[in-house]
């Protein structure tokens, strides 16, 4: 399977489903969470969402390219990979009680995420981050395996992508998902200038 490193399409009039990520006219306008939650994964990255091609002084939201990790898959990783390795002798009564909380105890949720990221690195040999995104409606955790993002657009080799697919048990191609949190908004990353102007020293002025 070969995927273009750029994976970008020509400009087109946005549909209603694109409004979650389409550039707002007003700078620093914050879109409501309900609109962001309607985001649908993209097969390719439009030009207006590429920082190097976006309008001057406007910063697109962060999008991740990769694979969704269904809640059931995360729960299975907890039950079969993480829970058996926990040394109960080192836990206090509250932690022991929380182990019984289904489906994944809140106190151990990040442990599952970090363990899964280490698992990906061991099996794939590439840093695959497990991140929360919009674009997985109805999923309890809304986490995905990130290959790259629109600000650091370097696609891993095909064999890395195939190994991630094998681990997750999918043949679907990777897609673009909208991050959660502040960086899901336009103009939230003014410090990350993809096209910085060269600095001129005072001696040359």
């Amino acid at each position: 399977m070969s995927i273009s490193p750029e994976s970008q399409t020509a400009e087109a009039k946005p549909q209603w489903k694109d409004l979650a990520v389409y550039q707002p006219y007003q700078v620093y306008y914050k879109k409501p969470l309900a609109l962001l939650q309607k985001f649908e994964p993209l097969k390719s990255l439009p030009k207006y969402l590429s920082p190097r091609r976006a309008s001057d002084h406007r910063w697109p939201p962060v999008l991740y390219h990769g694979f969704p990790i269904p809640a059931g898959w995360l729960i299975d990783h907890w039950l079969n990979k993480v829970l058996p390795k926990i040394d109960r002798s080192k836990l206090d009564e509250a932690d022991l009680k929380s182990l019984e909380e289904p489906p994944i105890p809140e106190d151990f949720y990040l442990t599952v995420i970090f363990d899964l990221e280490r698992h990906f690195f061991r099996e794939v040999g590439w840093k695959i981050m497990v991140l929360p995104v919009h674009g997985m409606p109805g999923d309890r955790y809304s986490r995905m395996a990130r290959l790259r993002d629109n600000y650091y657009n370097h696609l891993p080799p095909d064999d890395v992508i195939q190994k991630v697919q094998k681990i997750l048990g999918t043949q679907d191609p990777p897609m673009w998902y909208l991050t959660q949190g502040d960086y899901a908004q336009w103009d939230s990353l003014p410090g990350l200038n993809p096209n910085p102007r060269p600095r001129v020293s005072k001696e040359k002025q």
Side-chain angles (χ1 to χ4, degrees):
M1 179 184 65
S2 179
I3 301 175
S4 167
E6 289 301 320
S7 182
Q8 293 165 341
T9 60
E11 288 298 316
K13 185 176 180 180
Q15 304 297 316
W16 69 268
K17 64 182 181 181
D18 299 321
L19 294 178
V21 290
Y22 202 72
Q23 177 178 314
Y25 178 76
Q26 181 181 347
V27 179
Y28 300 124
Y29 171 76
K30 299 300 182 184
K31 297 181 180 181
L33 178 60
L35 178 58
L36 301 179
Q37 291 173 335
K38 292 182 179 180
F39 172 80
E40 296 182 12
L42 303 171
K43 292 182 179 179
S44 55
L45 187 69
K47 290 181 181 179
Y48 68 87
L49 292 175
S50 172
R52 293 185 179 277
R53 301 188 181 197
S55 302
D56 290 342
H57 312 300
R58 299 300 301 272
W59 306 98
V62 174
L63 286 94
Y64 301 130
H65 192 220
F67 301 95
I69 304 177
W73 201 98
L74 274 177
I75 294 169
D76 183 73
H77 188 80
W78 156 250
L79 294 174
N80 296 294
K81 302 293 184 180
V82 179
L83 183 57
K85 294 187 293 186
I86 293 178
D87 186 352
R88 295 172 183 259
S89 65
K90 296 182 179 180
L91 301 180
D92 58 28
E93 186 175 345
D95 286 334
L96 286 172
K97 185 177 181 180
S98 71
L99 286 178
E100 309 303 323
E101 298 174 3
I104 300 177
E106 183 177 352
D107 290 345
F108 292 90
Y109 177 66
L110 288 181
T111 302
V112 175
I113 299 302
F114 295 150
D115 185 84
L116 182 53
E117 290 179 342
R118 289 193 295 267
H119 177 71
F120 275 127
F121 188 77
R122 288 194 302 267
E123 298 296 322
V124 176
W126 195 274
K127 186 176 182 180
I128 305 294
M129 300 186 70
V130 179
L131 301 170
V133 292
H134 295 297
M136 298 175 61
D139 191 273
R140 186 185 187 99
Y141 301 113
S142 295
R143 290 272 175 164
M144 69 164 298
R146 169 201 174 274
L147 300 172
R148 59 173 173 168
D149 61 56
N150 56 330
Y151 279 82
Y152 299 97
N153 195 4
H154 178 65
L155 188 68
D158 284 351
D159 65 314
V160 168
I161 297 173
Q162 292 165 2
K163 288 177 181 177
V164 175
Q165 286 176 312
K166 183 177 180 180
I167 290 173
L168 294 175
T170 181
Q171 292 298 319
D172 294 335
M175 297 186 71
W176 291 94
Y177 291 81
L178 177 65
T179 186
Q180 292 187 16
D182 292 342
Y183 293 160
Q185 302 283 355
W186 271 81
D187 308 309
S188 60
L189 291 169
L192 293 179
N193 190 339
N195 295 302
R197 296 180 180 179
R199 294 183 179 180
V200 179
S201 66
K202 292 183 179 179
E203 293 150 353
K204 293 184 180 181
Q205 292 180 348

